[in-house]
Coordinates of all heavy atoms in Angstrom, one line a residue:
M1 N 8.3 4.0 -14.0 CA 7.4 3.2 -13.1 C 8.1 2.1 -12.4 O 9.0 1.5 -13.0 CB 6.3 2.6 -14.1 CG 4.9 2.7 -13.5 SD 4.4 4.3 -12.8 CE 3.5 4.9 -14.2
Q2 N 7.6 1.8 -11.2 CA 8.3 0.9 -10.4 C 7.3 0.0 -9.6 O 6.2 0.6 -9.3 CB 9.2 1.6 -9.4 CG 10.0 0.8 -8.5 CD 11.2 1.6 -7.9 OE1 11.6 2.7 -8.4 NE2 11.7 1.2 -6.8
T3 N 7.6 -1.2 -9.3 CA 6.7 -2.0 -8.5 C 7.5 -2.5 -7.2 O 8.6 -2.8 -7.3 CB 6.2 -3.2 -9.2 OG1 5.5 -2.8 -10.4 CG2 5.3 -4.1 -8.4
K4 N 6.8 -2.3 -6.1 CA 7.4 -2.8 -4.8 C 6.3 -3.5 -4.0 O 5.1 -3.4 -4.2 CB 7.8 -1.6 -4.0 CG 9.3 -1.3 -4.1 CD 9.8 -0.6 -2.8 CE 11.3 -0.6 -2.7 NZ 12.0 -0.5 -4.0
T5 N 6.8 -4.4 -3.1 CA 5.9 -5.1 -2.3 C 6.0 -4.7 -0.8 O 7.1 -4.7 -0.3 CB 6.1 -6.6 -2.4 OG1 6.0 -7.0 -3.7 CG2 5.1 -7.4 -1.6
L6 N 4.9 -4.2 -0.3 CA 4.9 -3.8 1.1 C 4.4 -5.0 2.0 O 3.6 -5.7 1.5 CB 4.0 -2.6 1.4 CG 4.1 -1.4 0.4 CD1 3.1 -0.3 0.8 CD2 5.5 -0.8 0.5
D7 N 4.9 -5.1 3.2 CA 4.4 -6.0 4.2 C 3.5 -5.3 5.2 O 4.0 -4.5 5.9 CB 5.5 -6.7 4.9 CG 6.2 -7.8 4.1 OD1 5.4 -8.8 3.8 OD2 7.4 -7.7 3.8
V8 N 2.2 -5.6 5.2 CA 1.3 -5.0 6.1 C 0.8 -6.0 7.1 O 0.4 -7.1 6.7 CB 0.2 -4.3 5.3 CG1 -0.8 -3.6 6.3 CG2 0.7 -3.3 4.3
R9 N 0.8 -5.6 8.4 CA 0.3 -6.5 9.4 C -1.1 -6.0 9.9 O -1.3 -4.8 10.1 CB 1.3 -6.5 10.6 CG 2.4 -7.5 10.3 CD 3.5 -7.4 11.4 NE 4.0 -6.0 11.5 CZ 4.9 -5.5 10.6 NH1 5.4 -6.3 9.7 NH2 5.4 -4.3 10.7
G10 N -2.0 -6.9 10.1 CA -3.2 -6.5 10.8 C -4.4 -6.5 9.9 O -5.5 -6.2 10.3
M11 N -4.2 -6.8 8.6 CA -5.4 -6.8 7.7 C -6.0 -8.2 7.7 O -5.3 -9.2 7.4 CB -4.9 -6.5 6.2 CG -4.3 -5.2 6.0 SD -3.9 -5.0 4.2 CE -2.7 -6.2 4.0
T12 N -7.3 -8.3 8.1 CA -7.9 -9.6 8.1 C -9.2 -9.7 7.3 O -9.5 -10.8 6.9 CB -8.2 -10.0 9.6 OG1 -9.0 -9.0 10.2 CG2 -6.9 -10.2 10.4
C13 N -9.8 -8.7 7.0 CA -11.1 -8.8 6.2 C -11.1 -8.0 4.9 O -10.2 -7.2 4.7 CB -12.3 -8.5 7.1 SG -12.7 -6.8 7.2
G14 N -12.1 -8.2 4.2 CA -12.2 -7.5 2.9 C -12.2 -6.0 3.0 O -11.8 -5.3 2.1
H15 N -12.7 -5.5 4.2 CA -12.7 -4.0 4.3 C -11.3 -3.5 4.5 O -11.0 -2.4 4.1 CB -13.6 -3.6 5.5 CG -15.1 -4.0 5.3 ND1 -15.7 -5.0 6.0 CD2 -16.0 -3.4 4.5 CE1 -16.9 -5.1 5.6 NE2 -17.1 -4.2 4.7
C16 N -10.5 -4.3 5.2 CA -9.1 -3.9 5.3 C -8.4 -3.8 4.0 O -7.7 -2.8 3.7 CB -8.3 -5.0 6.1 SG -8.8 -5.3 7.8
K17 N -8.7 -4.7 3.1 CA -8.2 -4.7 1.8 C -8.6 -3.5 1.0 O -7.7 -2.8 0.5 CB -8.7 -6.0 1.1 CG -8.2 -6.1 -0.4 CD -8.7 -7.5 -0.9 CE -8.8 -7.5 -2.4 NZ -7.5 -7.7 -3.1
M18 N -9.9 -3.1 1.1 CA -10.4 -2.0 0.4 C -9.7 -0.7 1.0 O -9.4 0.2 0.3 CB -11.9 -1.9 0.6 CG -12.6 -3.0 -0.1 SD -12.2 -3.3 -1.8 CE -12.9 -1.8 -2.6
S19 N -9.6 -0.6 2.3 CA -9.1 0.6 3.0 C -7.6 0.9 2.5 O -7.2 2.0 2.2 CB -9.0 0.5 4.5 OG -10.3 0.1 5.0
V20 N -6.8 -0.2 2.5 CA -5.4 -0.1 2.2 C -5.2 0.2 0.7 O -4.5 1.1 0.3 CB -4.6 -1.3 2.6 CG1 -3.2 -1.3 2.1 CG2 -4.6 -1.4 4.2
E21 N -6.0 -0.5 -0.1 CA -5.8 -0.3 -1.6 C -6.3 1.1 -1.9 O -5.7 1.8 -2.7 CB -6.7 -1.3 -2.4 CG -6.0 -2.7 -2.3 CD -6.8 -3.8 -3.0 OE1 -8.0 -3.5 -3.4 OE2 -6.3 -4.9 -3.2
G22 N -7.4 1.5 -1.3 CA -8.0 2.9 -1.6 C -7.0 4.0 -1.1 O -6.8 4.9 -1.9
A23 N -6.4 3.8 0.0 CA -5.5 4.8 0.5 C -4.3 5.0 -0.4 O -3.8 6.1 -0.6 CB -5.0 4.5 2.0
L24 N -3.8 3.9 -0.9 CA -2.6 3.9 -1.8 C -3.0 4.5 -3.1 O -2.3 5.3 -3.7 CB -2.0 2.5 -1.9 CG -1.3 2.0 -0.6 CD1 -1.0 0.5 -0.7 CD2 0.0 2.8 -0.4
Q25 N -4.1 4.0 -3.7 CA -4.5 4.4 -5.0 C -4.9 5.9 -5.1 O -4.8 6.5 -6.1 CB -5.7 3.6 -5.5 CG -5.3 2.2 -5.9 CD -6.4 1.2 -6.0 OE1 -7.6 1.6 -5.8 NE2 -6.2 -0.1 -6.2
K26 N -5.2 6.5 -3.9 CA -5.5 7.9 -3.8 C -4.3 8.8 -4.0 O -4.4 10.0 -4.3 CB -6.2 8.2 -2.5 CG -7.2 9.2 -2.4 CD -8.0 9.2 -1.1 CE -7.0 9.4 0.1 NZ -7.7 9.3 1.4
L27 N -3.1 8.2 -3.7 CA -1.9 9.0 -3.8 C -1.6 9.3 -5.2 O -1.6 8.4 -6.1 CB -0.7 8.3 -3.1 CG -0.8 8.0 -1.7 CD1 0.3 7.1 -1.2 CD2 -0.9 9.2 -0.8
D28 N -1.2 10.6 -5.5 CA -0.8 10.9 -6.9 C 0.5 10.2 -7.2 O 1.5 10.2 -6.4 CB -0.5 12.4 -6.9 CG -0.3 12.9 -8.3 OD1 -0.9 12.3 -9.3 OD2 0.4 13.9 -8.5
G29 N 0.5 9.4 -8.3 CA 1.7 8.7 -8.6 C 1.6 7.2 -8.5 O 2.3 6.4 -9.1
V30 N 0.6 6.8 -7.7 CA 0.3 5.3 -7.5 C -0.6 4.9 -8.6 O -1.7 5.5 -8.8 CB -0.2 5.0 -6.1 CG1 -0.7 3.5 -6.1 CG2 0.8 5.3 -5.1
T31 N -0.2 3.9 -9.4 CA -1.1 3.5 -10.5 C -1.8 2.2 -10.2 O -2.8 1.9 -10.8 CB -0.3 3.4 -11.8 OG1 0.8 2.5 -11.6 CG2 0.2 4.7 -12.3
A32 N -1.3 1.4 -9.3 CA -2.0 0.2 -8.9 C -1.6 -0.3 -7.5 O -0.4 -0.1 -7.1 CB -1.6 -0.9 -9.9
A33 N -2.5 -0.8 -6.8 CA -2.2 -1.4 -5.5 C -3.1 -2.6 -5.3 O -4.3 -2.5 -5.5 CB -2.5 -0.3 -4.4
E34 N -2.5 -3.7 -4.9 CA -3.2 -5.0 -4.8 C -2.8 -5.7 -3.5 O -1.7 -6.0 -3.3 CB -2.9 -5.8 -6.0 CG -3.5 -7.2 -6.0 CD -4.9 -7.3 -6.4 OE1 -5.4 -6.5 -7.2 OE2 -5.6 -8.2 -5.8
V35 N -3.8 -5.9 -2.7 CA -3.6 -6.5 -1.4 C -3.8 -8.0 -1.5 O -4.8 -8.4 -2.1 CB -4.5 -5.9 -0.3 CG1 -4.5 -6.8 1.0 CG2 -4.2 -4.5 0.1
D36 N -2.9 -8.8 -0.9 CA -3.2 -10.2 -0.8 C -3.4 -10.4 0.7 O -2.5 -10.4 1.5 CB -2.0 -11.1 -1.3 CG -2.4 -12.6 -1.1 OD1 -3.0 -13.1 -2.0 OD2 -2.0 -13.2 -0.1
L37 N -4.7 -10.7 1.1 CA -5.0 -10.8 2.5 C -4.3 -11.9 3.2 O -3.9 -11.8 4.4 CB -6.5 -11.0 2.7 CG -7.4 -9.7 2.7 CD1 -8.8 -10.1 2.9 CD2 -6.9 -8.7 3.7
G38 N -4.2 -13.1 2.6 CA -3.5 -14.2 3.2 C -2.1 -14.0 3.6 O -1.7 -14.4 4.7
S39 N -1.4 -13.3 2.8 CA 0.1 -13.1 3.1 C 0.3 -11.7 3.7 O 1.4 -11.5 4.3 CB 0.9 -13.2 1.8 OG 0.5 -12.2 0.9
G40 N -0.6 -10.8 3.6 CA -0.4 -9.4 4.0 C 0.5 -8.6 3.1 O 0.9 -7.5 3.4
K41 N 0.8 -9.2 1.9 CA 1.6 -8.5 0.9 C 0.8 -7.5 0.1 O -0.4 -7.8 -0.3 CB 2.3 -9.5 -0.1 CG 3.1 -10.6 0.6 CD 4.5 -10.1 0.9 CE 5.3 -11.3 1.5 NZ 6.5 -10.8 2.2
V42 N 1.4 -6.4 -0.2 CA 0.7 -5.4 -1.0 C 1.6 -5.0 -2.2 O 2.7 -4.4 -2.0 CB 0.3 -4.1 -0.2 CG1 -0.5 -3.1 -1.1 CG2 -0.4 -4.4 1.0
D43 N 1.2 -5.3 -3.4 CA 2.0 -5.0 -4.6 C 1.6 -3.6 -5.0 O 0.4 -3.4 -5.3 CB 1.8 -5.9 -5.7 CG 2.4 -7.3 -5.4 OD1 3.4 -7.4 -4.7 OD2 1.8 -8.3 -5.8
V44 N 2.5 -2.6 -5.1 CA 2.2 -1.3 -5.5 C 3.0 -1.0 -6.7 O 4.2 -1.2 -6.8 CB 2.4 -0.2 -4.4 CG1 1.3 -0.3 -3.4 CG2 3.7 -0.3 -3.8
T45 N 2.4 -0.4 -7.7 CA 3.1 0.1 -8.9 C 2.9 1.7 -8.9 O 1.9 2.2 -8.7 CB 2.4 -0.4 -10.2 OG1 2.4 -1.8 -10.1 CG2 3.2 0.0 -11.4
Y46 N 4.1 2.3 -9.0 CA 4.1 3.8 -8.8 C 5.2 4.5 -9.6 O 6.1 3.8 -10.0 CB 4.2 4.1 -7.3 CG 5.5 3.6 -6.7 CD1 6.5 4.5 -6.4 CD2 5.7 2.3 -6.3 CE1 7.7 4.1 -5.8 CE2 6.8 1.9 -5.7 CZ 7.9 2.8 -5.5 OH 9.0 2.3 -4.9
D47 N 5.0 5.8 -9.7 CA 5.9 6.6 -10.4 C 6.8 7.2 -9.3 O 6.4 8.1 -8.5 CB 5.2 7.7 -11.2 CG 6.1 8.6 -11.9 OD1 7.3 8.7 -11.6 OD2 5.7 9.3 -12.8
E48 N 8.1 6.8 -9.3 CA 8.9 7.2 -8.1 C 9.3 8.7 -8.2 O 9.9 9.2 -7.2 CB 10.2 6.3 -8.1 CG 11.1 6.3 -9.3 CD 10.7 5.2 -10.3 OE1 9.5 5.1 -10.6 OE2 11.6 4.6 -10.9
S49 N 9.0 9.4 -9.3 CA 9.2 10.8 -9.4 C 8.1 11.6 -8.7 O 8.2 12.8 -8.5 CB 9.4 11.3 -10.8 OG 8.2 11.2 -11.5
K50 N 7.0 10.9 -8.5 CA 5.8 11.6 -7.9 C 5.5 11.2 -6.5 O 4.9 12.0 -5.7 CB 4.6 11.3 -8.7 CG 4.5 11.9 -10.1 CD 3.2 11.7 -10.7 CE 3.0 12.5 -12.0 NZ 1.8 12.0 -12.7
V51 N 5.9 9.9 -6.1 CA 5.5 9.5 -4.7 C 6.6 8.6 -4.2 O 7.3 7.8 -5.0 CB 4.1 8.7 -4.8 CG1 4.2 7.5 -5.6 CG2 3.6 8.5 -3.4
S52 N 6.9 8.7 -2.9 CA 8.0 7.9 -2.4 C 7.5 6.8 -1.5 O 6.3 6.7 -1.2 CB 8.9 8.8 -1.4 OG 8.1 9.1 -0.3
L53 N 8.4 5.8 -1.3 CA 8.0 4.7 -0.4 C 7.5 5.2 1.0 O 6.6 4.7 1.5 CB 9.3 3.9 -0.2 CG 9.1 2.5 0.3 CD1 8.1 1.7 -0.4 CD2 10.5 1.8 0.3
E54 N 8.2 6.3 1.5 CA 7.7 6.8 2.8 C 6.3 7.4 2.7 O 5.5 7.2 3.6 CB 8.7 7.9 3.2 CG 10.1 7.4 3.7 CD 10.0 6.2 4.7 OE1 9.2 6.4 5.6 OE2 10.6 5.2 4.5
N55 N 6.0 8.0 1.6 CA 4.6 8.5 1.4 C 3.6 7.4 1.5 O 2.5 7.5 2.1 CB 4.4 9.2 0.0 CG 5.2 10.4 -0.2 OD1 5.6 10.7 -1.3 ND2 5.5 11.2 0.8
M56 N 4.0 6.3 0.8 CA 3.1 5.1 0.7 C 2.9 4.4 2.1 O 1.8 4.1 2.5 CB 3.5 4.2 -0.3 CG 3.5 4.8 -1.7 SD 3.8 3.7 -3.1 CE 5.5 3.3 -2.8
K57 N 4.0 4.3 2.8 CA 4.0 3.7 4.1 C 3.1 4.6 5.1 O 2.4 4.0 5.9 CB 5.4 3.5 4.7 CG 6.1 2.4 4.0 CD 7.6 2.4 4.3 CE 7.9 1.9 5.7 NZ 9.4 1.7 5.9
A58 N 3.3 5.9 5.0 CA 2.5 6.8 5.8 C 1.0 6.6 5.6 O 0.2 6.6 6.5 CB 3.0 8.2 5.6
A59 N 0.7 6.5 4.3 CA -0.8 6.3 3.9 C -1.3 5.1 4.5 O -2.5 5.1 5.0 CB -0.9 6.3 2.4
V60 N -0.6 4.0 4.5 CA -1.0 2.7 5.1 C -1.1 2.9 6.6 O -2.1 2.4 7.3 CB -0.1 1.6 4.7 CG1 -0.5 0.3 5.4 CG2 -0.2 1.3 3.2
E61 N -0.1 3.5 7.2 CA -0.2 3.7 8.7 C -1.3 4.5 9.1 O -2.0 4.3 10.2 CB 1.2 4.3 9.2 CG 2.3 3.3 9.2 CD 3.7 3.9 9.3 OE1 3.8 5.1 9.3 OE2 4.6 3.1 9.4
D62 N -1.7 5.5 8.3 CA -2.9 6.4 8.6 C -4.1 5.6 8.7 O -5.1 6.0 9.3 CB -3.0 7.5 7.5 CG -2.1 8.6 7.7 OD1 -1.4 8.7 8.7 OD2 -2.0 9.4 6.8
Q63 N -4.2 4.4 8.0 CA -5.3 3.6 8.0 C -5.3 2.7 9.3 O -6.3 1.9 9.5 CB -5.4 2.7 6.8 CG -5.6 3.5 5.5 CD -6.9 4.3 5.5 OE1 -7.9 3.8 5.8 NE2 -6.7 5.6 5.2
G64 N -4.2 2.7 10.0 CA -4.2 1.9 11.3 C -3.4 0.6 11.2 O -3.6 -0.2 12.1
Y65 N -2.6 0.5 10.2 CA -1.8 -0.8 10.1 C -0.3 -0.5 10.2 O 0.2 0.5 9.8 CB -2.1 -1.4 8.7 CG -3.6 -1.7 8.5 CD1 -4.3 -0.8 7.7 CD2 -4.2 -2.7 9.1 CE1 -5.7 -1.0 7.6 CE2 -5.6 -2.9 9.0 CZ -6.3 -2.0 8.2 OH -7.7 -2.2 8.1
D66 N 0.4 -1.6 10.7 CA 1.8 -1.5 10.7 C 2.3 -2.0 9.3 O 1.8 -2.9 8.8 CB 2.4 -2.5 11.7 CG 2.2 -1.9 13.1 OD1 2.2 -0.7 13.3 OD2 2.0 -2.7 14.1
V67 N 3.3 -1.3 8.8 CA 3.8 -1.6 7.5 C 5.4 -1.6 7.5 O 6.0 -0.8 8.1 CB 3.2 -0.7 6.4 CG1 3.6 0.8 6.8 CG2 3.7 -1.0 5.0
S68 N 5.9 -2.5 6.7 CA 7.4 -2.4 6.4 C 7.6 -2.7 4.9 O 6.7 -3.3 4.3 CB 8.1 -3.4 7.3 OG 7.7 -4.7 7.1
A69 N 8.7 -2.3 4.4 CA 9.0 -2.5 3.0 C 10.4 -2.9 2.8 O 11.2 -2.7 3.6 CB 8.6 -1.3 2.2
Ligands
9UX1 MO1 -12.4 -6.0 9.0 MO2 -9.9 -4.8 9.1 O1 -13.9 -6.0 10.3 O2 -9.0 -3.8 10.3 S1 -11.8 -3.8 8.5 S2 -10.6 -6.7 10.1

C-alpha cells in the first residue's frame, strides 16, 4: 500500500470534492481518497500492484480537472 498526493486544479465546491473522491475510490486498488479543497491536494492510498498513478490521473481528468503528481 502506498500514499501519494495529487495536485488538482479547478476544484472549487463540495461537488467537485465528491466527484474527484468518487472517481478515485471507484478504481480497483484505491482504498482512500481525500480532497482538500483549499489547497487542491488529493491524498490517495492505493495498492500499486492494482492501480497506477496514470490510471488515477486519467480518472481525475475524466471528471474535467487538470492534475499533476
Ligand atoms: Mo461546483 Mo466544481 O458548482 O467543477 S462542481 S465548482
Side-chain angles (χ1 to χ4, degrees):
M1 220 49 97
Q2 179 163 342
T3 299
K4 260 205 166 38
T5 302
L6 311 180
D7 279 299
V8 179
R9 280 170 301 280
M11 298 183 296
T12 54
C13 83
H15 296 108
C16 296
K17 177 174 158 80
M18 296 309 290
S19 309
V20 169
E21 289 176 350
L24 289 167
Q25 286 163 4
K26 213 169 57 184
L27 298 174
D28 190 32
V30 173
T31 55
E34 174 77 32
V35 167
D36 183 85
L37 276 181
S39 64
K41 305 275 186 200
V42 185
D43 292 324
V44 285
T45 304
Y46 61 102
D47 180 342
E48 61 271 40
S49 72
K50 287 187 176 170
V51 65
S52 70
L53 194 53
E54 287 311 312
N55 296 149
M56 298 189 289
K57 286 167 75 172
V60 173
E61 283 165 356
D62 282 349
Q63 297 299 311
Y65 304 101
D66 286 330
V67 58
S68 57

